[in-house]
Amino acid sequence: MTAAVVLLSGGLDSMVCAGLAREAGHAWLALTIDYNQRHRAELEAANRIAQELAAARHVVLPLDLTRFGGSALTDNIAVPKGGVGDGIPVTYVPARNTVFLSLALAFAEAAGARDLYIGVNALDYSGYPDCRPDFIAAFQDLANRATKAGVEGDRFTLHAPLLHMTKADIAREAARLGLDAGLSHSCYDPLPEGRHCGLCDACRLRAKGFTEAGLADPTRYAAAP
């Protein structure tokens, strides 16, 4: 059984990624980045998912990106609630997936894993530049140029199995894998008791996925998306 590192945010997409890594026969290692994000409920969700899906190891790595700011998730900027719009929204965290994948790559090389999984999606998403196919291809190339393992021929593979899925596809995949989607958390601006706000981009896209998939949505929303 080979090892794989899965970036586990606690959201539905990363949960499905973990399920797919497990289905592929990997002993999966979960990496969760605690970047002092506004939606800290996702850290609790990541812990629930790692336990439920029996991660071989779960590392929660602190990295305080509020020191940089520049995003509604890491700075004193309101999370938009008016619906998914055009352009890159203020919930974009500067270079987040580049930073997180670099840490996942370091973890993988140290642990002897050569497969990395990330739950990015380029269809029903908020327009982030680091969720596109060319970014994934470029990072895999970088991984094999920037590491001892890569230059010695023990190459890394970056898996983005949700890249060309809609949110409905992802909801169906969660059901097919037998995952409890209610364990995951997607909201960018949850209420203090943990309910999803229902109005941010992440909530709207999540609700849209379950509706279009014809599946019951286990999410507790404060307002109807």
Side-chain angles (χ1 to χ4, degrees):
M1 180 181 289
T2 60
V5 170
V6 178
L7 274 170
L8 185 68
S9 69
L12 179 63
D13 294 356
S14 71
M15 182 185 197
V16 171
C17 245
L20 290 169
R22 185 179 67 169
E23 184 181 58
H26 294 295
W28 70 283
L29 313 173
L31 176 61
T32 300
I33 310 299
D34 177 358
Y35 60 102
N36 208 9
Q37 57 268 52
R38 176 193 296 263
H39 51 312
R40 297 185 64 77
E42 73 171 6
L43 298 174
E44 299 171 8
N47 186 56
R48 292 193 297 267
I49 293 165
Q51 292 186 33
E52 180 71 15
L53 273 67
R57 185 179 173 194
H58 184 201
V59 172
V60 179
L61 191 68
L63 179 70
D64 187 4
L65 293 184
T66 63
R67 300 290 296 273
F68 295 166
S71 167
L73 304 187
T74 59
D75 211 333
N76 189 26
I77 301 170
V79 172
K81 302 291 181 70
V84 181
D86 297 327
I88 300 171
V90 295
T91 51
Y92 164 72
V93 178
R96 179 176 61 181
N97 284 345
T98 305
V99 172
F100 288 7
L101 277 172
S102 297
L103 295 169
L105 177 63
F107 183 19
E109 187 170 33
R114 297 298 176 260
D115 293 273
L116 290 82
Y117 282 75
I118 183 171
V120 295
N121 171 270
L123 294 182
D124 284 337
Y125 76 127
S126 294
Y128 300 153
D130 50 4
C131 291
R132 297 171 299 147
D134 57 347
F135 168 73
I136 296 300
F139 193 92
Q140 179 170 287
D141 182 60
L142 179 149
N144 288 304
R145 293 173 183 268
T147 56
K148 178 179 184 291
V151 299
E152 290 181 351
D154 193 8
R155 296 179 63 81
F156 293 91
T157 301
L158 177 54
H159 303 267
L162 315 186
L163 192 60
H164 300 293
M165 290 187 185
T166 65
K167 285 295 183 185
D169 294 332
I170 294 166
R172 292 189 194 99
E173 194 69 352
R176 183 190 68 80
L177 291 164
L179 305 179
D180 178 2
L183 296 176
S184 66
H185 178 92
S186 301
C187 181
Y188 290 148
D189 194 21
L191 274 68
E193 79 278 10
R195 277 187 300 164
H196 287 57
C197 74
L199 300 177
C200 70
D201 287 4
C203 282
R204 292 176 189 272
L205 289 168
R206 180 182 175 105
K208 176 177 180 281
F210 283 105
T211 297
E212 293 182 352
L215 296 170
D217 186 348
T219 314
R220 296 186 304 123
Y221 298 106

